[in-house]
Amino acid sequence: MKISFANLAVPKAGAVVVCVLEGRKLTDSAQAIDDATGGALTRAIKASTFKGAKHHSLTVMTPGGRLSRVVCMGLGKAKEVDALALQDLGGRIVSTLKAHATSAQVLVDDIEGCELKAHEMAAEVALGARLGSYAFDKYKTKKKAHDTPLLRDVKFYCKLSAKAQALFAPQDKVADGVFFTRDLVSEPSNVLYPETLAEQAKTLSKMGIKVEVLSQAQMKRLGMGALLGVAQGSAHEPKLVVMHYNGKPTRKGAKAAKADQPVAFIGKGVTFDSGGISIKPSAGMEDMKWDMGGAGVVIGLMKALAGRKAKVNAVGVVGLVENMPSGTAQRPGDIVTSMSGQTIEVLNTDAEGRLVLADALWYTKERFNPHTMIDLATLTGAIMVALGSHYAGLFSNDDDFAWELIKAGREVDERVWSLPLGPEYDKMINSSVADMQNIGERWGGSITAAQFLKRFVGDTKWAHLDIAGVTWSKAGKPVAPKGGTGFGVRLLDRWVANQLEK
Ligand code: BES
Ligand code: MN
Ligand code: ZN
């Protein structure tokens, strides 16, 4: 979908979108359209239940002149119009019009009582429209007219449109990253497996990201017994992908300082999680194609950062494996040695994500000495029991850092909720025969999983995001249609902007 900006004008033809505040209060552009159509908007509004409330809209057909339709979008109360409300509005504009028009003209005005200026508002609405326009339909060979989005062009009209365009441009790059993540998460596991996912990551090299792909043999030499144990039942070779983005190169002559250490993002990339020998029930197992969601976010995030030329040094590391039952598969009771040297008794082969991350985290810490590590993983069903699908679980060894993530999440509506870590939980994964076991007891399953990861991060400032409940949406919302959400890309992009680009 093409998004563009132009200075405020009253369109004479085509489909138009205007905003109406609560109490049937027309914005300036809505008033101008009303005047130009002999009062068609006020008449239609009077004859309807539409009063300008948030999330409500009214479409006025053939209102006069050559206008095909005018969509009145409810803004609610002026003082409640903020960035998130406007993004939501943008998504709603797309879903309202997508089957009805090939192009749309959205008129955005200054509003008394709203903190944002019209050009800032336009940029937010545009971002929401872009995010809401996503569709994964590449495997539909017989597209029916009614499910093919027609909308291709959306033009935003506002004062200072060049400024709106400038505000939108970097966010458009972030949306590119979100879309890449959504694409990866949506692909089925016969198409997307470690090797092909690594190839997808490699496409980032054209953006100036250095991409390395470690083979099984290389991982063996590094001693990654935990990750390799998960992969050993699969016909697909595991891969470890390392992505380097240097947006803030080391100052010449300066001694490598703390400021030059990278931030590291680590992702669980289980391209299919059957559970292995501890096999999952068949109902719903198809969902496990998106068990590489953490890796998908890391790859999309790297794309977003490079796309908007973020002033940051970042590494992304994703552990890619397929978890399958077979004659070569890992058995319950097996003991593996991780790269850290710590041994793990694998009591349940379905608790595989933490095994993959154990080696990916340790490798990242040892090789890059990052100032901060953030891992993302569709790690536990238990986090869905705790938080449903509206918050991701957050675990960290640093409270101030956790608050930074909570704040960034609120700003972009990818919210995270902090859960505890502690020695009581750590004790639950001690093993009688190895240094640890890969599951605790039934209760507190997300916490014992996080506690397990913590044993592989040393003293590094670290956070773990359990995104099992938020990676895939059955319901969808205006800025994230049904399916892969890309949750985490905007959150971490915002955290980088807030904390590392100051
Ligand atoms: N990938 C799953 C977690 C998951 C479940 C993600 C549902 C998304 C939706 C993970 O590998 C897993 O199987 N976890 C087990 C852990 C258990 C064996 C301790 C779980 O949550 O049941
Ligand atoms: Mn599993
Ligand atoms: Zn899994």
Side-chain angles (χ1 to χ4, degrees):
M1 203 174 77
K2 184 170 161 261
I3 286 177
S4 57
F5 297 86
N7 280 326
L8 200 56
V10 181
K12 298 266 183 305
V16 169
V17 179
V18 294
C19 296
V20 176
L21 288 148
E22 199 160 284
R24 298 172 170 157
K25 192 167 172 297
L26 303 189
T27 52
D28 292 348
S29 291
Q31 187 62 57
I33 294 279
D34 195 44
D35 294 343
T37 56
L41 298 196
T42 27
R43 266 197 312 280
I45 291 171
K46 277 231 173 78
S48 78
T49 56
F50 175 74
K51 293 190 176 64
K54 202 171 160 176
H55 301 173
H56 290 215
S57 68
L58 174 72
T59 299
V60 184
M61 304 296 292
T62 55
R66 282 156 54 222
L67 296 174
S68 59
R69 63 179 68 214
V70 176
V71 181
C72 299
M73 300 295 298
L75 270 183
K77 295 191 177 76
K79 65 174 194 303
E80 286 165 14
V81 176
D82 59 12
L84 293 179
L86 292 162
Q87 290 163 22
D88 183 273
L89 182 84
R92 286 173 195 275
I93 290 172
V94 169
S95 52
T96 306
L97 275 173
K98 70 178 175 198
H100 304 294
T102 53
S103 65
Q105 308 164 87
V106 182
L107 312 185
V108 184
D109 307 279
D110 281 311
I111 291 169
E112 210 187 297
C114 172
E115 279 186 12
L116 299 167
K117 296 253 161 256
H119 65 275
E120 295 168 323
M121 295 171 65
E124 300 293 354
V125 181
L127 173 62
R130 172 89 209 279
L131 289 168
S133 73
Y134 180 82
F136 185 78
D137 51 14
K138 64 188 273 201
Y139 294 109
K140 292 199 178 224
T141 64
K142 297 183 187 74
K143 288 179 188 156
K144 295 196 196 93
H146 65 262
D147 61 26
T148 309
L150 292 161
L151 192 59
R152 283 193 304 269
D153 261 293
V154 183
K155 196 169 202 166
F156 293 88
Y157 291 78
C158 63
K159 280 188 203 154
L160 305 174
S161 65
K163 282 192 173 178
Q165 168 68 53
L167 285 173
F168 174 68
Q171 292 307 312
D172 197 30
K173 299 296 180 184
V174 175
D176 288 344
V178 172
F179 279 26
F180 194 26
T181 302
R182 288 178 183 173
D183 282 344
L184 295 175
V185 160
S186 305
E187 285 289 354
S189 305
N190 59 329
V191 174
L192 202 80
Y193 44 89
E195 192 184 344
T196 52
L197 182 46
E199 270 161 24
Q200 287 298 315
K202 272 198 161 167
T203 64
L204 297 183
S205 45
K206 63 174 185 282
M207 308 183 78
I209 293 173
K210 200 176 109 204
V211 185
E212 294 169 70
V213 180
L214 274 64
S215 67
Q216 183 169 32
Q218 285 171 298
M219 288 189 271
K220 224 172 239 165
R221 282 197 287 278
L222 287 162
M224 296 189 172
L227 184 152
L228 292 171
V230 177
Q232 78 189 33
S234 168
H236 291 296
E237 193 192 316
K239 303 283 179 194
L240 188 90
V241 178
V242 183
M243 294 158 278
H244 310 249
Y245 168 66
N246 279 329
K248 191 171 133 192
T250 313
R251 287 149 291 142
K252 280 239 171 62
K255 227 173 134 244
K258 193 171 161 69
D260 299 314
Q261 284 173 258
V263 59
F265 304 104
I266 300 97
K268 166 179 171 179
V270 178
T271 61
F272 188 73
D273 180 13
S274 68
I277 296 297
S278 313
I279 198 161
K280 289 181 180 295
S282 59
M285 204 199 268
E286 66 277 8
D287 280 349
M288 289 300 104
K289 75 170 185 182
W290 47 263
D291 207 22
M292 38 53 69
V297 170
V298 171
I299 295 167
L301 174 64
M302 297 302 284
K303 179 166 180 151
L305 294 174
R308 69 168 180 84
K309 300 193 164 54
K311 290 187 179 48
V312 67
N313 293 337
V315 293
V317 176
V318 294
L320 310 181
V321 303
E322 186 184 50
N323 187 22
M324 295 293 265
S326 77
T328 62
Q330 170 156 271
R331 293 144 291 251
D334 283 5
I335 297 175
V336 295
T337 303
S338 66
M339 183 185 172
S340 72
Q342 301 176 92
T343 56
I344 305 160
E345 182 186 14
V346 180
L347 288 179
N348 189 319
T349 66
D350 197 13
E352 85 297 339
R354 63 199 77 181
L355 298 169
V356 173
L357 285 174
D359 281 335
L361 285 164
W362 187 265
Y363 172 82
T364 305
K365 167 178 86 69
E366 291 291 289
R367 178 165 170 202
F368 298 108
N369 185 30
H371 59 76
T372 308
M373 296 204 287
I374 305 175
D375 77 73
L376 300 109
T378 49
L379 202 64
T380 66
I383 203 68
M384 303 164 79
V385 176
L387 301 175
S389 57
H390 303 297
Y391 280 78
L394 162 66
F395 301 84
S396 178
N397 56 7
D398 182 311
D399 287 349
D400 293 334
F401 175 36
W403 275 112
E404 293 169 7
L405 290 168
I406 291 168
K407 176 172 171 284
R410 286 178 182 164
E411 288 171 11
V412 301
D413 199 25
E414 289 183 351
R415 291 167 297 171
V416 297
W417 195 261
S418 180
L419 284 102
L421 291 165
E424 307 87 338
Y425 298 102
D426 185 61
K427 240 179 31 207
M428 291 163 69
I429 52 168
N430 286 336
S431 158
S432 51
V433 292
D435 297 333
M436 68 195 86
Q437 57 191 38
N438 76 331
I439 52 169
E441 59 177 60
R442 175 152 174 239
W443 309 115
S446 301
I447 306 176
T448 47
Q451 223 42 85
F452 184 96
L453 301 180
K454 188 170 180 290
R455 293 188 181 203
F456 298 88
V457 302
D459 298 326
T460 312
K461 184 164 86 181
W462 158 78
H464 156 58
L465 298 176
D466 193 334
I467 57 171
V470 295
T471 294
W472 191 267
S473 170
K474 289 209 160 87
K477 56 182 185 175
V479 296
K482 278 182 200 165
T485 61
F487 184 110
V489 175
R490 295 179 65 213
L491 160 68
L492 295 178
D493 173 77
R494 180 58 67 95
W495 175 78
V496 166
N498 287 353
Q499 303 299 329
L500 305 181
E501 293 183 279
K502 288 186 287 202

